[in-house]
Amino acid sequence: MPLTMAVIGETNKIRRVGGNEETRRFLENLGFVAGAEVTVLSAIGGNVIVNIKDSRIAVNADMARHIMV
Protein backbone atom coordinates (compact mmCIF):
# COMPACT_ATOMS: atom_id res chain seq x y z
CA MET A 1 0.00 0.00 0.00
CA PRO A 2 1.22 3.57 -0.55
CA LEU A 3 2.63 5.56 2.36
CA THR A 4 -0.43 7.85 2.25
CA MET A 5 -2.57 4.95 3.55
CA ALA A 6 -0.26 3.95 6.43
CA VAL A 7 -1.62 4.12 9.98
CA ILE A 8 -0.32 7.05 12.03
CA GLY A 9 2.14 5.95 14.70
CA GLU A 10 2.74 2.51 13.20
CA THR A 11 6.21 1.54 11.97
CA ASN A 12 6.27 0.16 8.42
CA LYS A 13 9.01 -1.23 6.23
CA ILE A 14 9.47 0.29 2.77
CA ARG A 15 8.88 -2.40 0.14
CA ARG A 16 9.76 -0.36 -2.96
CA VAL A 17 10.02 3.18 -4.28
CA GLY A 18 8.33 3.90 -7.61
CA GLY A 19 8.17 6.81 -10.02
CA ASN A 20 10.58 8.01 -12.65
CA GLU A 21 14.37 7.92 -12.18
CA GLU A 22 14.55 11.51 -10.90
CA THR A 23 11.81 10.92 -8.31
CA ARG A 24 13.38 7.67 -7.08
CA ARG A 25 16.81 9.29 -6.76
CA PHE A 26 15.34 12.25 -4.83
CA LEU A 27 13.52 9.95 -2.39
CA GLU A 28 16.57 7.68 -1.98
CA ASN A 29 18.69 10.72 -1.06
CA LEU A 30 16.17 11.47 1.70
CA GLY A 31 16.52 7.91 3.02
CA PHE A 32 13.49 6.27 1.42
CA VAL A 33 15.10 3.02 0.30
CA ALA A 34 13.70 -0.52 0.23
CA GLY A 35 14.06 -2.17 3.64
CA ALA A 36 14.17 1.08 5.64
CA GLU A 37 11.70 1.52 8.50
CA VAL A 38 9.40 4.52 8.37
CA THR A 39 6.85 5.82 10.90
CA VAL A 40 4.07 8.21 9.92
CA LEU A 41 3.84 10.95 12.55
CA SER A 42 1.13 13.08 10.95
CA ALA A 43 -1.03 13.06 7.82
CA ILE A 44 -3.04 16.00 6.50
CA GLY A 45 -4.72 15.83 3.09
CA GLY A 46 -2.36 13.11 1.86
CA ASN A 47 0.73 15.06 2.87
CA VAL A 48 2.67 13.17 5.52
CA ILE A 49 5.33 13.87 8.13
CA VAL A 50 7.43 10.78 8.71
CA ASN A 51 10.25 9.67 10.96
CA ILE A 52 12.92 7.85 8.96
CA LYS A 53 16.50 7.14 10.01
CA ASP A 54 16.20 9.42 13.08
CA SER A 55 15.01 12.36 10.94
CA ARG A 56 11.62 13.99 10.49
CA ILE A 57 10.75 14.61 6.87
CA ALA A 58 7.62 16.11 5.29
CA VAL A 59 6.56 14.49 2.03
CA ASN A 60 3.78 15.79 -0.21
CA ALA A 61 0.97 13.50 -1.36
CA ASP A 62 2.42 12.95 -4.86
CA MET A 63 5.78 11.77 -3.51
CA ALA A 64 4.14 9.69 -0.76
CA ARG A 65 2.13 7.76 -3.38
CA HIS A 66 5.41 6.49 -4.90
CA ILE A 67 6.56 4.98 -1.58
CA MET A 68 5.11 1.49 -1.03
CA VAL A 69 5.09 -0.01 2.46
Side-chain angles (χ1 to χ4, degrees):
M1 72 178 166
L3 187 60
T4 54
M5 296 178 67
V7 177
I8 294 172
E10 187 175 287
T11 301
N12 294 287
K13 187 172 283 197
I14 297 175
R15 301 293 177 210
R16 70 178 177 87
V17 179
N20 62 31
E21 183 66 29
E22 184 180 342
T23 301
R24 284 196 312 267
R25 190 176 305 121
F26 175 75
L27 290 170
E28 287 172 2
N29 287 337
L30 291 175
F32 294 96
V33 293
E37 291 191 346
V38 61
T39 305
V40 177
L41 302 176
S42 173
I44 300 171
N47 301 323
V48 294
I49 298 174
V50 299
N51 190 10
I52 185 165
K53 296 188 178 181
D54 297 326
S55 298
R56 282 189 181 169
I57 298 176
V59 182
N60 68 21
D62 289 334
M63 291 289 183
R65 280 190 213 102
H66 293 296
I67 303 166
M68 297 295 165
V69 294

Coordinates of all heavy atoms in Angstrom, one line a residue:
M1 N 0.9 -1.2 0.0 CA 0.0 0.0 0.0 C 0.9 1.2 0.0 O 2.0 1.2 0.5 CB -0.9 0.0 1.2 CG -0.3 0.3 2.5 SD -1.5 0.3 3.9 CE -0.4 0.2 5.2
P2 N 0.4 2.3 -0.5 CA 1.2 3.6 -0.6 C 1.3 4.2 0.9 O 0.5 3.9 1.7 CB 0.5 4.5 -1.5 CG -0.9 3.9 -1.6 CD -0.8 2.5 -1.3
L3 N 2.4 4.9 1.1 CA 2.6 5.6 2.4 C 1.5 6.4 2.8 O 1.2 6.6 4.0 CB 3.9 6.4 2.3 CG 4.4 7.0 3.6 CD1 4.8 5.9 4.6 CD2 5.7 7.8 3.3
T4 N 0.7 7.0 1.9 CA -0.4 7.8 2.2 C -1.5 7.1 3.0 O -2.3 7.7 3.7 CB -1.1 8.5 1.0 OG1 -1.4 7.4 0.1 CG2 -0.1 9.5 0.3
M5 N -1.5 5.8 2.9 CA -2.6 4.9 3.6 C -2.1 4.3 4.8 O -2.8 3.6 5.5 CB -3.1 3.9 2.6 CG -3.8 4.4 1.4 SD -4.3 3.1 0.2 CE -5.5 2.3 1.2
A6 N -0.8 4.5 5.2 CA -0.3 3.9 6.4 C -0.9 4.5 7.7 O -1.3 5.7 7.7 CB 1.2 4.2 6.5
V7 N -1.0 3.7 8.7 CA -1.6 4.1 10.0 C -0.6 5.0 10.7 O 0.6 4.7 10.8 CB -2.0 2.9 10.8 CG1 -2.5 3.3 12.2 CG2 -2.9 2.0 10.1
I8 N -1.2 6.1 11.3 CA -0.3 7.1 12.0 C 0.2 6.4 13.3 O -0.5 5.7 14.0 CB -1.1 8.3 12.4 CG1 -1.5 9.1 11.1 CG2 -0.3 9.2 13.3 CD1 -2.4 10.2 11.3
G9 N 1.5 6.5 13.5 CA 2.1 5.9 14.7 C 2.7 4.5 14.5 O 3.4 4.0 15.4
E10 N 2.3 3.9 13.4 CA 2.7 2.5 13.2 C 4.0 2.5 12.3 O 4.1 3.2 11.4 CB 1.6 1.8 12.5 CG 1.8 0.3 12.3 CD 0.6 -0.4 11.7 OE1 -0.4 -0.5 12.4 OE2 0.7 -0.7 10.5
T11 N 5.0 1.7 12.7 CA 6.2 1.5 12.0 C 6.0 0.6 10.8 O 5.5 -0.5 11.0 CB 7.4 1.1 12.9 OG1 7.5 2.0 13.9 CG2 8.7 1.0 12.1
N12 N 6.4 1.0 9.6 CA 6.3 0.2 8.4 C 7.6 0.0 7.8 O 8.5 0.9 7.9 CB 5.3 0.8 7.4 CG 3.9 0.9 7.9 OD1 3.2 -0.1 8.0 ND2 3.5 2.0 8.3
K13 N 7.8 -1.0 7.0 CA 9.0 -1.2 6.2 C 8.7 -0.9 4.8 O 7.7 -1.3 4.2 CB 9.5 -2.7 6.3 CG 10.8 -2.9 5.7 CD 11.3 -4.3 6.0 CE 11.9 -4.4 7.4 NZ 12.7 -5.5 7.7
I14 N 9.6 -0.1 4.2 CA 9.5 0.3 2.8 C 9.7 -0.9 1.9 O 10.8 -1.6 2.0 CB 10.4 1.5 2.4 CG1 10.1 2.7 3.2 CG2 10.3 1.8 0.9 CD1 11.0 3.9 3.1
R15 N 8.8 -1.3 1.0 CA 8.9 -2.4 0.1 C 9.6 -2.0 -1.2 O 10.4 -2.7 -1.7 CB 7.5 -3.0 -0.2 CG 6.8 -3.5 1.1 CD 7.5 -4.6 1.7 NE 6.8 -5.0 2.9 CZ 7.3 -5.6 4.0 NH1 8.6 -5.8 4.0 NH2 6.6 -5.9 5.0
R16 N 9.1 -0.9 -1.7 CA 9.8 -0.4 -3.0 C 9.4 1.1 -3.1 O 8.5 1.6 -2.5 CB 9.3 -1.2 -4.2 CG 7.9 -1.0 -4.6 CD 7.6 -1.8 -5.9 NE 6.2 -1.6 -6.2 CZ 5.7 -0.6 -7.0 NH1 6.5 0.3 -7.4 NH2 4.4 -0.5 -7.2
V17 N 10.2 1.8 -4.0 CA 10.0 3.2 -4.3 C 9.8 3.3 -5.8 O 10.7 2.8 -6.6 CB 11.2 4.0 -3.8 CG1 11.0 5.5 -4.2 CG2 11.4 3.9 -2.3
G18 N 8.7 3.8 -6.2 CA 8.3 3.9 -7.6 C 8.6 5.3 -8.2 O 9.2 6.1 -7.6
G19 N 8.0 5.5 -9.4 CA 8.2 6.8 -10.0 C 9.3 6.8 -11.0 O 9.9 5.8 -11.2
N20 N 9.5 7.9 -11.7 CA 10.6 8.0 -12.6 C 11.9 8.1 -12.0 O 12.0 8.1 -10.7 CB 10.4 9.2 -13.6 CG 10.4 10.5 -12.9 OD1 11.1 10.7 -11.9 ND2 9.7 11.5 -13.4
E21 N 13.0 8.0 -12.7 CA 14.4 7.9 -12.2 C 14.7 9.1 -11.3 O 15.3 8.9 -10.2 CB 15.4 7.8 -13.3 CG 16.8 7.7 -12.9 CD 17.1 6.4 -12.2 OE1 16.4 5.4 -12.5 OE2 18.0 6.4 -11.3
E22 N 14.3 10.3 -11.7 CA 14.6 11.5 -10.9 C 13.8 11.5 -9.6 O 14.4 11.8 -8.5 CB 14.1 12.7 -11.7 CG 14.4 14.0 -11.0 CD 14.0 15.2 -11.8 OE1 13.7 15.1 -13.0 OE2 13.9 16.3 -11.2
T23 N 12.6 11.0 -9.5 CA 11.8 10.9 -8.3 C 12.4 9.9 -7.4 O 12.6 10.1 -6.2 CB 10.3 10.5 -8.6 OG1 9.8 11.5 -9.5 CG2 9.5 10.4 -7.3
R24 N 12.8 8.7 -7.9 CA 13.4 7.7 -7.1 C 14.7 8.1 -6.5 O 15.0 7.9 -5.3 CB 13.6 6.4 -7.9 CG 12.3 5.6 -8.2 CD 12.6 4.2 -8.6 NE 13.6 4.1 -9.7 CZ 13.3 4.1 -11.0 NH1 12.1 4.1 -11.4 NH2 14.3 4.0 -11.9
R25 N 15.5 8.8 -7.3 CA 16.8 9.3 -6.8 C 16.6 10.3 -5.7 O 17.3 10.3 -4.6 CB 17.6 9.9 -7.9 CG 19.1 10.2 -7.5 CD 19.9 10.7 -8.6 NE 19.9 9.8 -9.8 CZ 19.5 10.1 -11.0 NH1 19.1 11.3 -11.2 NH2 19.6 9.2 -12.0
F26 N 15.6 11.2 -5.8 CA 15.3 12.2 -4.8 C 14.9 11.6 -3.5 O 15.4 11.9 -2.4 CB 14.2 13.2 -5.3 CG 13.8 14.2 -4.3 CD1 14.6 15.3 -4.0 CD2 12.6 14.0 -3.7 CE1 14.1 16.2 -3.1 CE2 12.1 15.0 -2.7 CZ 12.9 16.0 -2.4
L27 N 14.0 10.6 -3.6 CA 13.5 10.0 -2.4 C 14.6 9.1 -1.7 O 14.7 9.1 -0.5 CB 12.3 9.1 -2.7 CG 11.0 9.9 -3.1 CD1 10.0 8.9 -3.6 CD2 10.5 10.6 -1.9
E28 N 15.5 8.5 -2.5 CA 16.6 7.7 -2.0 C 17.6 8.6 -1.2 O 18.1 8.2 -0.2 CB 17.3 6.9 -3.1 CG 16.4 5.7 -3.6 CD 17.0 5.0 -4.8 OE1 18.1 5.5 -5.3 OE2 16.4 4.1 -5.3
N29 N 17.8 9.8 -1.7 CA 18.7 10.7 -1.1 C 18.1 11.2 0.3 O 18.9 11.5 1.2 CB 19.0 11.9 -1.9 CG 19.9 11.6 -3.1 OD1 20.6 10.6 -3.1 ND2 19.8 12.4 -4.2
L30 N 16.8 11.1 0.4 CA 16.2 11.5 1.7 C 16.1 10.3 2.7 O 15.8 10.4 3.8 CB 14.7 12.0 1.5 CG 14.6 13.3 0.8 CD1 13.1 13.6 0.5 CD2 15.2 14.4 1.6
G31 N 16.5 9.1 2.2 CA 16.5 7.9 3.0 C 15.4 6.9 2.7 O 15.3 5.9 3.4
F32 N 14.6 7.2 1.8 CA 13.5 6.3 1.4 C 14.0 5.2 0.5 O 13.9 5.3 -0.7 CB 12.3 7.0 0.8 CG 11.7 8.0 1.7 CD1 12.0 9.3 1.7 CD2 10.7 7.6 2.6 CE1 11.4 10.2 2.6 CE2 10.0 8.4 3.4 CZ 10.4 9.8 3.4
V33 N 14.6 4.1 1.1 CA 15.1 3.0 0.3 C 14.4 1.7 0.8 O 13.9 1.7 1.9 CB 16.6 2.9 0.5 CG1 17.3 4.1 -0.2 CG2 17.0 2.7 1.9
A34 N 14.3 0.7 -0.1 CA 13.7 -0.5 0.2 C 14.4 -1.1 1.5 O 15.6 -1.1 1.6 CB 13.8 -1.5 -0.9
G35 N 13.6 -1.6 2.4 CA 14.1 -2.2 3.6 C 14.1 -1.2 4.8 O 14.2 -1.6 6.0
A36 N 14.1 0.1 4.6 CA 14.2 1.1 5.6 C 12.8 1.1 6.4 O 11.8 0.9 5.8 CB 14.5 2.5 5.1
E37 N 12.9 1.4 7.7 CA 11.7 1.5 8.5 C 11.3 3.0 8.6 O 12.1 3.9 8.7 CB 11.9 1.0 9.9 CG 12.1 -0.5 9.9 CD 12.1 -1.1 11.3 OE1 12.2 -0.3 12.3 OE2 12.0 -2.3 11.4
V38 N 10.0 3.2 8.4 CA 9.4 4.5 8.4 C 8.2 4.5 9.3 O 7.4 3.6 9.3 CB 9.1 5.0 6.9 CG1 8.1 4.0 6.3 CG2 8.6 6.4 6.9
T39 N 8.0 5.6 10.0 CA 6.9 5.8 10.9 C 6.1 7.1 10.5 O 6.8 8.2 10.5 CB 7.3 5.9 12.4 OG1 8.1 4.8 12.7 CG2 6.1 6.0 13.3
V40 N 4.9 7.0 10.2 CA 4.1 8.2 9.9 C 3.7 8.9 11.2 O 3.1 8.3 12.1 CB 2.8 7.8 9.1 CG1 1.9 9.1 8.9 CG2 3.2 7.2 7.8
L41 N 4.1 10.2 11.3 CA 3.8 10.9 12.6 C 2.6 11.8 12.4 O 1.8 12.0 13.4 CB 5.0 11.9 12.9 CG 6.4 11.2 13.0 CD1 7.5 12.3 13.2 CD2 6.3 10.3 14.2
S42 N 2.3 12.2 11.2 CA 1.1 13.1 10.9 C 0.7 13.0 9.5 O 1.6 12.8 8.6 CB 1.5 14.5 11.3 OG 0.4 15.4 10.9
A43 N -0.5 13.1 9.2 CA -1.0 13.1 7.8 C -2.2 14.1 7.7 O -3.2 14.0 8.4 CB -1.5 11.7 7.4
I44 N -2.0 15.0 6.7 CA -3.0 16.0 6.5 C -3.2 16.1 5.0 O -2.3 16.5 4.3 CB -2.7 17.4 7.1 CG1 -2.4 17.3 8.6 CG2 -3.7 18.4 6.7 CD1 -1.9 18.5 9.2
G45 N -4.4 15.7 4.5 CA -4.7 15.8 3.1 C -3.8 15.0 2.2 O -3.5 15.5 1.1
G46 N -3.3 13.9 2.7 CA -2.4 13.1 1.9 C -0.9 13.5 2.1 O 0.0 12.7 1.8
N47 N -0.6 14.7 2.5 CA 0.7 15.1 2.9 C 1.1 14.4 4.2 O 0.3 14.4 5.1 CB 0.9 16.6 3.0 CG 0.5 17.3 1.7 OD1 0.7 16.8 0.6 ND2 -0.2 18.4 1.8
V48 N 2.3 13.9 4.3 CA 2.7 13.2 5.5 C 4.0 13.7 6.1 O 4.8 14.2 5.4 CB 2.8 11.6 5.3 CG1 1.5 11.0 4.9 CG2 3.8 11.3 4.2
I49 N 4.1 13.6 7.4 CA 5.3 13.9 8.1 C 5.8 12.5 8.7 O 5.0 11.9 9.4 CB 5.2 14.9 9.3 CG1 4.7 16.2 8.7 CG2 6.5 15.1 10.0 CD1 4.4 17.3 9.7
V50 N 7.0 12.1 8.3 CA 7.4 10.8 8.7 C 8.7 10.9 9.5 O 9.5 11.9 9.4 CB 7.6 9.9 7.5 CG1 6.3 9.7 6.7 CG2 8.7 10.4 6.6
N51 N 9.0 9.8 10.3 CA 10.2 9.7 11.0 C 11.0 8.5 10.3 O 10.5 7.4 10.3 CB 10.0 9.4 12.4 CG 11.3 9.4 13.3 OD1 12.3 9.9 12.8 ND2 11.2 9.0 14.5
I52 N 12.1 8.8 9.7 CA 12.9 7.8 9.0 C 14.4 8.1 9.3 O 14.9 9.2 9.2 CB 12.6 7.9 7.4 CG1 13.4 6.7 6.7 CG2 13.0 9.2 6.8 CD1 12.9 6.4 5.3
K53 N 15.1 7.1 9.7 CA 16.5 7.1 10.0 C 16.8 8.3 11.0 O 17.7 9.1 10.7 CB 17.3 7.2 8.7 CG 17.2 6.0 7.9 CD 18.2 6.0 6.7 CE 18.1 4.8 5.9 NZ 19.0 4.7 4.8
D54 N 16.0 8.4 12.0 CA 16.2 9.4 13.1 C 16.0 10.8 12.6 O 16.6 11.8 13.1 CB 17.6 9.3 13.8 CG 17.7 7.9 14.5 OD1 16.6 7.4 15.0 OD2 18.8 7.4 14.5
S55 N 15.3 11.0 11.5 CA 15.0 12.4 10.9 C 13.5 12.5 10.7 O 12.9 11.5 10.3 CB 15.8 12.6 9.6 OG 17.1 12.5 9.8
R56 N 13.0 13.7 10.8 CA 11.6 14.0 10.5 C 11.6 14.6 9.1 O 12.3 15.6 8.9 CB 11.0 14.9 11.5 CG 10.6 14.2 12.7 CD 9.8 15.1 13.6 NE 9.4 14.4 14.8 CZ 8.9 15.0 15.9 NH1 8.7 16.3 15.9 NH2 8.6 14.3 16.9
I57 N 10.8 14.1 8.2 CA 10.8 14.6 6.9 C 9.3 14.8 6.5 O 8.5 13.9 6.7 CB 11.5 13.6 5.9 CG1 12.9 13.5 6.3 CG2 11.3 14.1 4.5 CD1 13.7 12.5 5.5
A58 N 9.0 15.9 5.8 CA 7.6 16.1 5.3 C 7.6 15.7 3.8 O 8.6 16.1 3.1 CB 7.2 17.6 5.5
V59 N 6.7 15.0 3.4 CA 6.6 14.5 2.0 C 5.2 14.8 1.5 O 4.2 14.5 2.2 CB 6.8 13.0 2.0 CG1 6.7 12.5 0.5 CG2 8.1 12.6 2.6
N60 N 5.1 15.5 0.3 CA 3.8 15.8 -0.2 C 3.1 14.5 -0.7 O 3.7 13.5 -0.8 CB 3.9 16.9 -1.3 CG 4.6 16.4 -2.6 OD1 4.7 15.2 -2.8 ND2 5.0 17.4 -3.3
A61 N 1.8 14.7 -1.0 CA 1.0 13.5 -1.4 C 1.5 12.8 -2.6 O 1.5 11.6 -2.7 CB -0.5 13.9 -1.5
D62 N 1.9 13.6 -3.6 CA 2.4 13.0 -4.9 C 3.6 12.1 -4.6 O 3.7 11.0 -5.1 CB 2.8 14.0 -5.9 CG 1.5 14.7 -6.4 OD1 0.5 14.1 -6.4 OD2 1.6 15.9 -6.9
M63 N 4.6 12.6 -3.8 CA 5.8 11.8 -3.5 C 5.4 10.6 -2.6 O 6.0 9.5 -2.8 CB 6.8 12.6 -2.8 CG 7.5 13.7 -3.7 SD 8.5 12.9 -4.9 CE 9.2 14.4 -5.6
A64 N 4.5 10.8 -1.7 CA 4.1 9.7 -0.8 C 3.5 8.5 -1.5 O 3.6 7.4 -1.1 CB 3.2 10.2 0.3
R65 N 2.8 8.8 -2.6 CA 2.1 7.8 -3.4 C 3.1 6.8 -4.1 O 2.8 5.7 -4.4 CB 1.2 8.4 -4.4 CG -0.1 8.8 -3.9 CD -1.1 9.2 -5.0 NE -1.9 10.2 -4.5 CZ -1.8 11.5 -4.8 NH1 -0.9 11.9 -5.7 NH2 -2.6 12.4 -4.3
H66 N 4.4 7.3 -4.3 CA 5.4 6.5 -4.9 C 6.1 5.6 -3.9 O 6.8 4.7 -4.3 CB 6.5 7.4 -5.6 CG 6.0 8.2 -6.7 ND1 5.5 7.6 -7.9 CD2 5.8 9.5 -6.9 CE1 5.1 8.5 -8.7 NE2 5.3 9.7 -8.2
I67 N 5.9 5.8 -2.6 CA 6.6 5.0 -1.6 C 5.6 3.9 -1.1 O 4.6 4.2 -0.5 CB 7.0 5.9 -0.4 CG1 7.9 7.0 -0.9 CG2 7.7 5.0 0.7 CD1 8.1 8.1 0.1
M68 N 6.0 2.6 -1.4 CA 5.1 1.5 -1.0 C 5.6 0.8 0.2 O 6.8 0.6 0.3 CB 5.1 0.4 -2.2 CG 4.5 0.9 -3.4 SD 2.8 1.3 -3.3 CE 2.5 2.3 -4.7
V69 N 4.7 0.6 1.2 CA 5.1 0.0 2.5 C 4.4 -1.3 2.6 O 3.4 -1.6 2.0 CB 4.8 0.9 3.7 CG1 5.7 2.1 3.6 CG2 3.4 1.4 3.7

